[in-house]
Amino acid sequence: MTNGWSVARALTDPGSVAALDATGWTHLLSAARALSLIGTLAEVLADAPIPPDVARVFADVRHSNVAGQRQALWEAECARMALAEYPGRVVLLKGTAFAAAGYDAALGRSIGDLDILVDRGGLDQVEGLLLEAGWEWVKPDPYDDAYYREWMHELPPLIHAERDRMIDVHHTILPLTAGPTPDAAALIADARALPSGLYALSPADIICHAAAHLIADGDLSGGMRNLWDIDRLVRQFVVEEEGFSETLAERAKLHGLTDAVGRALRLSAQLFGTPIVFRRKSESRANAAQSDPGLGLSPENSRVSTSDTLFLRRITAVDGWGRKTRKLTRQGFYIRSHLLRMPPAMLARHLWTKWRKGHRG
Amino acid sequence: MRHSCFITVGPARFRIGSDWRAPIDQLRQLYSDYPLDEGVPDFTVRLQATSALRRVVRPQVAIAGDFTLPDAVPLPLEQGLLAAEMAMNLQMALGWRRHLLLHASAVSRNGRAVIMTGVSGAGKSTLSALLGERGWRFLGDEFVLLDPDTGMIVPFPRPVSLKNTAISAMEREVDDDTRFGPVMRDTPKGTIRHLRPRTEAVQLMARETRPALLLFPRFGYPRAVRRVDEAESFVRLTQASTNYVALGERGFDALTGFVRAMSACAIDYADGEEGVEMVERLWSEQGAKTGARAAAA
């Protein structure tokens, strides 16, 4: 039976695809597409022996990869030019940041919207400059607009009229109604300069953001891709960044994301064999003796909990037709995503407003 | 999925899955001349119920697959065949990268193709269907595939999607009733009926052909012919291409080569007969010029 695990296996053990027949390939490709991992799969299997019809599909996908990343970087450049007058830092987030920083996680990654982070105090200026440069509002609905501005971690999405590309302007990395309150000022202060003059989050903060997005925010619909990002980034940072485990533990604590980062790392270790298990600061000294340089392996922390299993069930819920499966599990996580974002009374008010709108047509 | 089939059109293989039997049966019927063998497909298309209840009660077909549009409107099950066709078009439009895709129809004769492009309703589809019955090889009524490396046209001869008045026009033209699909009324595009191309067009669909004449037809206007220069052709074709931007430099090179390789005309015509006659005439003039050029060389 094809599901998310089949895609994880092909990504982590490219040799394993040699055993696939035509049906196996067909299902793998559809599942990978549905999980937004087809671009990655095409790059990972670039040198693996694959049947000719699969090679043709991958060739198309790899063309799209190149064009997609070029477009994403161009969009970032357009934003940089539009925001030239803004004196603060403009920090790229997610896929565009990986591509701009040349991280391994960018390989084959699809990039949709442009996500940037700026200081909350500069939001008005940034918004004004973007509107001047040809971006416009996507959601004209006053309730949605007000909701975004009051409670969300980003402005309502803007779209560029000519290039038809969206930009999400963040002032922090989690909705203001969520439990943890990441230190947005520290995120911006620690960001690293890119050659273009834009910034990317520091390596540890990139992991914190990815984990926050995955565990403490949405309904996990992009979970596999998200965890693959984390896997690739961690593998790279463990080698390239001195004391990465410790830094990550400190930053996660600072942002109130210790649980989310721990969970994300356990899940990516399960799916992709990510060679690190996150430790809390207090445990690091005790385990220091047995750990490899940069790797903090603690059996206690790496144990997979029942709820982890539930997360994995949700994240891998796809079939060989690219359909979402396990409806109940998915619905459970959908409800969870709303509960995470809003206290019950607020959620009830929100759903009531949305329901009435729906019935007005 | 419960029901499925594979269909190959030109260089593209589709896997179509459905929650209901009827659309798959209709596809098998409409595509009976095409290769239906299984294999790793280029695209997967899903015709799925909008909800478990909607599989049975007033069934609604949601269009899904490798590539989807977020705001695609579901169709009633009676229009399941149309849903499949729309979904297959969508996969090509959004996913195909091997060729430059032009929203156009094409026919060929003696290894030289006429490409006809225009907005929906301009008559390019009907004109290609008529020519396909009158001694031309039908290459496709929806997409023209241009090979960026060789400049050749790769046939993509899907069944013609006939709309409204074009249906009766083609019913008069074609004797063989088995080539027609079911009549679908009250679709978002009016009444639609599909016509399977002549068997030869399907059998020869792997054979590429060289572009020779580019036309911008407009149906329902008094007869007129106007030369179109390279620059105008180029700009109009960038708008008619679904993957021009995605192909980047390859797309630009392919399209500049394409508009330089042949002459182009905008033609206005009042009815199908006049359209066919005008294409034939321009084709002959074109051939005479090519011949004269060859002789001069």
Side-chain angles (χ1 to χ4, degrees):
Chain A
M1 255 271 296
T2 305
N3 58 32
W5 288 99
S6 320
V7 178
R9 197 174 311 120
L11 286 173
T12 49
D13 179 12
S16 69
V17 299
L20 294 174
D21 59 8
T23 306
W25 273 111
T26 302
H27 291 181
L28 177 66
L29 295 182
S30 283
R33 262 194 216 281
L35 297 169
S36 302
L37 280 166
I38 188 80
T40 310
L41 191 66
E43 301 293 347
V44 167
L45 297 180
D47 298 317
I50 49 178
D53 30 14
V54 177
R56 280 192 289 272
V57 172
F58 279 166
D60 275 11
V61 169
R62 295 177 75 196
H63 269 299
S64 305
N65 287 349
V66 173
Q69 300 223 344
R70 186 169 47 213
Q71 266 186 318
L73 291 175
W74 172 241
E75 200 57 28
E77 177 61 14
C78 290
R80 188 194 65 77
M81 291 188 285
L83 298 176
E85 280 176 36
Y86 173 64
R89 292 179 170 188
V90 177
V91 183
L92 297 176
L93 300 173
K94 303 184 198 173
T96 313
F98 307 159
Y103 289 141
D104 297 344
L107 192 70
R109 192 191 192 278
S110 62
I111 305 173
D113 308 341
L114 173 62
D115 296 284
I116 63 169
L117 171 73
V118 298
D119 185 74
R120 198 170 187 187
L123 269 187
D124 287 346
Q125 189 186 358
V126 166
E127 184 180 352
L129 289 170
L130 290 175
L131 289 171
E132 242 170 68
W135 277 270
E136 49 193 46
W137 300 118
V138 181
K139 297 192 179 187
D141 183 288
Y143 173 77
D144 287 346
D145 191 78
Y147 185 89
Y148 263 95
R149 287 171 193 279
E150 189 161 0
W151 300 113
M152 289 298 280
H153 50 308
E154 59 196 5
L155 289 176
L158 290 156
I159 194 161
H160 196 275
E162 282 167 25
R163 294 191 306 277
D164 204 31
R165 302 275 296 193
M166 300 241 275
I167 185 168
D168 286 330
V169 182
H170 299 61
H171 56 85
T172 182
I173 55 173
L174 274 182
L176 307 179
T177 50
T181 310
D183 185 339
L187 289 169
I188 294 170
D190 260 37
R192 292 188 181 177
L194 296 164
S196 64
L198 294 164
Y199 286 77
L201 292 176
S202 74
D205 283 347
I206 287 180
I207 302 297
C208 289
H209 178 212
H213 183 65
L214 177 73
I215 307 293
D217 190 5
D219 66 351
L220 286 111
S221 48
M224 280 279 285
R225 215 256 317 259
N226 231 296
L227 287 170
W228 177 256
D229 285 345
I230 290 173
D231 174 77
R232 291 294 106 173
L233 292 165
V234 165
R235 283 175 195 265
Q236 184 165 10
F237 295 156
V238 157
V239 174
E240 293 179 1
E241 302 287 327
E242 206 178 322
F244 179 69
S245 294
E246 285 72 19
T247 313
L248 179 56
E250 283 163 19
R251 297 299 284 190
K253 186 158 176 258
L254 171 72
H255 298 308
L257 291 167
T258 299
D259 290 345
V261 172
R263 166 98 70 188
L265 291 175
R266 288 198 305 276
L267 296 178
S268 78
Q270 283 289 307
L271 273 170
F272 303 119
T274 313
I276 183 173
V277 174
F278 175 68
R279 302 165 294 177
R280 281 149 213 265
K281 188 79 171 132
S282 58
E283 292 159 10
S284 62
R285 217 168 297 120
N287 294 327
Q290 65 179 70
S291 62
D292 301 326
L295 300 182
L297 295 168
S298 143
E300 186 193 333
N301 275 2
S302 65
R303 205 177 303 131
V304 176
S305 67
T306 317
S307 57
D308 284 351
T309 312
L310 210 57
F311 274 79
L312 288 169
R313 253 185 79 74
R314 165 64 185 90
I315 286 165
T316 58
V318 68
D319 70 5
W321 281 93
R323 283 180 299 184
K324 296 168 191 159
T325 54
R326 300 171 190 153
K327 192 164 182 190
L328 262 179
T329 313
R330 278 191 290 117
Q331 268 175 350
F333 276 97
Y334 181 73
I335 293 167
R336 172 184 177 271
S337 75
H338 273 74
L339 288 173
L340 285 172
R341 281 188 176 183
M342 304 176 199
M346 183 178 170
L347 178 59
R349 211 161 46 236
H350 175 73
L351 292 177
W352 170 245
T353 310
K354 283 285 183 184
W355 182 78
R356 280 196 356 201
K357 272 179 193 301
H359 282 256
R360 280 206 309 266
Chain B
M1 299 190 78
R2 284 173 198 236
H3 309 280
S4 65
C5 66
F6 286 75
I7 294 172
T8 300
V9 184
R13 180 187 278 143
F14 299 87
R15 173 174 66 140
I16 299 117
S18 170
D19 280 342
W20 307 270
R21 171 182 288 282
I24 298 297
D25 284 347
Q26 289 172 344
L27 281 169
R28 285 216 173 95
Q29 178 75 31
L30 188 60
Y31 285 86
S32 57
D33 283 351
Y34 293 71
L36 302 178
D37 48 311
E38 302 194 1
V40 180
D42 296 291
F43 298 115
T44 289
V45 161
R46 302 192 307 267
L47 306 176
Q48 56 192 38
T50 47
S51 70
L53 182 69
R54 284 296 198 187
R55 204 172 63 75
V56 191
V57 183
R58 284 195 294 141
Q60 292 276 317
V61 186
I63 296 170
D66 290 341
F67 295 89
T68 50
L69 288 180
D71 44 3
V73 183
L75 295 173
L77 181 55
E78 302 79 62
Q79 297 169 18
L81 182 63
L82 176 64
E85 294 286 309
M86 286 167 67
M88 288 159 78
N89 282 341
L90 187 66
Q91 306 310 308
M92 288 299 288
L94 299 184
W96 195 255
R97 294 289 181 274
R98 277 163 249 177
H99 305 100
L100 182 70
L101 229 66
L102 301 173
H103 188 220
S105 68
V107 293
S108 80
R109 187 189 268 169
N110 305 330
R112 294 274 186 272
V114 181
I115 292 97
M116 295 167 278
T117 183
V119 293
S120 281
K124 63 184 185 322
S125 187
T126 315
L127 202 47
S128 67
L130 273 174
L131 290 162
E133 300 304 317
R134 300 186 183 184
W136 294 73
R137 171 154 78 108
F138 174 78
L139 303 177
D141 84 316
E142 182 73 23
F143 291 126
V144 164
L145 277 51
L146 175 65
D147 189 324
D149 301 321
T150 63
M152 298 289 274
I153 298 295
V154 179
F156 189 68
R158 290 264 307 283
V160 187
S161 162
L162 300 168
K163 293 173 197 85
N164 304 318
T165 53
I167 297 173
S168 52
M170 290 312 294
E171 283 170 347
R172 282 195 298 276
E173 187 77 17
V174 177
D175 293 334
D176 182 357
D177 212 39
T178 64
R179 285 176 54 199
F180 287 96
V183 179
M184 291 174 282
R185 294 180 208 286
D186 303 319
T187 78
K189 294 170 184 172
T191 304
I192 286 188
R193 191 172 196 192
H194 290 93
L195 169 66
R196 186 170 64 238
R198 298 169 68 87
T199 307
E200 306 89 83
V202 177
Q203 282 171 342
L204 293 175
M205 70 185 178
R207 198 176 295 172
E208 301 177 359
T209 164
R210 190 161 291 286
L213 179 62
L214 174 63
L215 297 177
F216 298 92
R218 232 167 33 142
F219 166 77
Y221 288 84
R223 182 184 183 114
V225 178
R226 174 174 68 86
R227 285 269 158 217
V228 175
D229 66 21
E230 287 173 14
E232 184 184 340
S233 294
F234 178 85
V235 171
R236 289 176 77 161
L237 287 173
T238 58
Q239 289 160 355
S241 173
T242 59
N243 65 357
Y244 170 73
V245 172
L247 287 186
E249 197 178 348
R250 275 171 83 221
F252 176 81
D253 289 342
L255 199 53
T256 44
F258 183 70
V259 297
R260 281 179 182 150
M262 63 194 154
S263 56
C265 293
I267 58 170
D268 292 356
Y269 59 100
D271 59 43
E273 292 304 323
E274 189 169 62
V276 168
E277 187 250 316
M278 287 172 79
V279 174
E280 294 274 6
R281 180 188 298 265
L282 287 166
W283 177 256
S284 312
E285 289 172 15
Q286 171 74 11
K289 251 184 265 165
T290 313
R293 222 180 294 143

